[in-house]
Amino acid sequence: MNRSARLITPHLINPHQSTQTPTIQNGEAHMTDSLRDTATPTAQSAAVDLNAPVDLPNRIDVTDLNIFYGDFQAVEGVSMTINPRSITALIGPSGCGKSTFLRSLNRMHEVIHGAYVQGSVVINGHDLYGPGVDPVAVRRKIGMVFQRPNPFPTMSIADNVLAGKRLNSRRMSKPDAAELVEKSLRGANLWNEVKDRLDKPGSSLSGGQQQRLCIARAIAVSPDVLLMDEPCSALDPISTLAIEELMLDLKRSYNIVIVTHNMQQAARVSDRTGFFNIKGTGKPGKLIEMDATEKIFSNPGEQETQDYITGRFG
């Protein structure tokens, strides 16, 4: 699979540089021609309106979402549609609420005492904050991959993959467990690298492999949505490449939302991008603009967005 070459502003990528992009083969980087750069942005937008709601399962509709920690309002008035089988990137300066918003999509922010929301997050016709909704059940269907790889250090590679499934399900037979381990590791593009050492600790893997192991653990429970909070920030460029290629592969099956401080990464992998900003310390973060990624990085509709992507602040 080849990476997307996205159109972004000249200060970020030289428009005259090669359209070849690196791919991973047997742990090494190689150069292949991009296949996803054959249409101009105009032709692409004419064919598909990336901002149009897609009537498919697992679309997320957020309406006027306000997020609080006690008396402090962290995020104000966010409304957006997150389409399935796509990658949505959330960008913005530190402290603008983008990670808090991401965690609100599976109610993970509620692990902090006093957290609550106003507004709605609807998926498949169900409000995740509706009366009687179990946050644990929400997290089973909307998985999370965190900033730093967090495999369980005392568990083997295989047991790391099975951890979530065993927590949420009845006892599995050995053949079923072995099948799920292989399926999940293949889904995370990790099987060929670890198939001969499944009994070794997950912590024995490299940083990039550990992050893919965490992705395998997340998809083993068959979620509908994958949330990724800066999944490559602690990784080297080659490991980052492997995760980005994996995201492009996984979006065929999952609705993926990522938070990233790497604007080039947002431009490479995402279909739509939302820009969050904050007016000052103690103020709530707000969604300033959300649009097709190519438009955000080439012709944003808001001056705040333009200032951020051109490096005037942040």
Side-chain angles (χ1 to χ4, degrees), residues 11-276:
H11 82 286
L12 292 176
I13 288 184
N14 184 342
H16 302 296
Q17 71 187 118
S18 170
T19 59
Q20 288 187 323
T21 54
T23 59
I24 297 293
Q25 295 179 2
N26 299 323
E28 297 181 356
H30 299 271
M31 301 302 293
T32 60
D33 291 325
S34 172
L35 299 181
R36 298 182 65 195
D37 198 31
T38 56
T40 64
T42 302
Q44 288 176 335
S45 59
V48 178
D49 181 0
L50 294 176
N51 290 316
V54 175
D55 191 17
L56 289 172
N58 305 325
R59 188 181 83 194
I60 301 174
D61 293 295
V62 181
T63 304
D64 197 23
L65 191 69
N66 299 277
I67 305 173
F68 298 84
Y69 296 108
D71 294 331
F72 172 68
Q73 184 169 6
V75 174
E76 180 181 357
V78 173
S79 295
M80 68 167 69
T81 294
I82 302 173
N83 281 329
R85 297 181 187 176
S86 68
I87 299 175
T88 300
L90 307 178
I91 63 172
S94 296
C96 67
K98 56 190 184 296
S99 288
T100 295
F101 172 76
L102 183 79
R103 290 167 183 252
S104 75
L105 297 180
N106 75 344
R107 302 182 62 166
M108 187 64 74
H109 72 296
E110 291 182 334
V111 300
I112 298 176
H113 179 71
Y116 69 97
V117 305
Q118 296 171 347
S120 65
V121 178
V122 175
I123 180 170
N124 297 329
H126 300 284
D127 186 352
L128 302 186
Y129 291 93
V133 175
D134 181 2
V136 176
V138 170
R139 293 167 198 150
R140 290 191 188 114
K141 303 306 292 181
I142 304 179
M144 172 78 78
V145 176
F146 295 95
Q147 182 174 357
R148 293 188 176 275
N150 60 345
F152 298 115
T154 60
M155 288 187 182
S156 68
I157 292 169
D159 286 339
N160 261 279
V161 174
L162 296 171
K165 191 71 174 178
R166 285 173 170 163
L167 181 65
N168 295 317
S169 303
R170 62 187 179 185
R171 192 168 184 174
M172 300 177 66
S173 68
K174 285 187 177 181
D176 287 345
E179 181 181 358
L180 180 59
V181 167
E182 179 174 351
K183 178 182 177 182
S184 301
L185 289 172
R186 286 190 183 279
N189 289 344
L190 189 58
W191 172 252
N192 289 334
E193 298 171 43
V194 302
K195 62 183 179 181
D196 297 324
R197 47 180 172 146
L198 296 175
D199 59 338
K200 300 298 182 184
S203 56
S204 68
L205 301 177
S206 70
Q209 289 173 326
Q210 287 184 26
Q211 192 66 300
R212 282 183 284 153
L213 177 60
C214 293
I215 293 172
R217 186 175 66 200
I219 64 179
V221 298
S222 302
D224 297 325
V225 180
L226 278 177
L227 310 177
M228 299 186 175
D229 191 1
E230 298 187 60
C232 302
S233 65
L235 304 181
D236 62 84
I238 295 300
S239 296
T240 294
L241 168 61
I243 297 295
E244 290 181 0
E245 297 244 349
L246 175 58
M247 284 191 280
L248 291 170
D249 193 25
L250 288 173
K251 81 169 187 176
R252 300 174 186 176
S253 303
Y254 301 99
N255 186 345
I256 298 177
V257 189
I258 67 168
V259 163
T260 180
H261 280 286
N262 185 330
M263 287 185 287
Q264 290 93 335
Q265 180 177 77
R268 286 191 296 263
V269 304
S270 69
D271 300 285
R272 299 177 73 221
T273 296
F275 169 59
F276 282 72

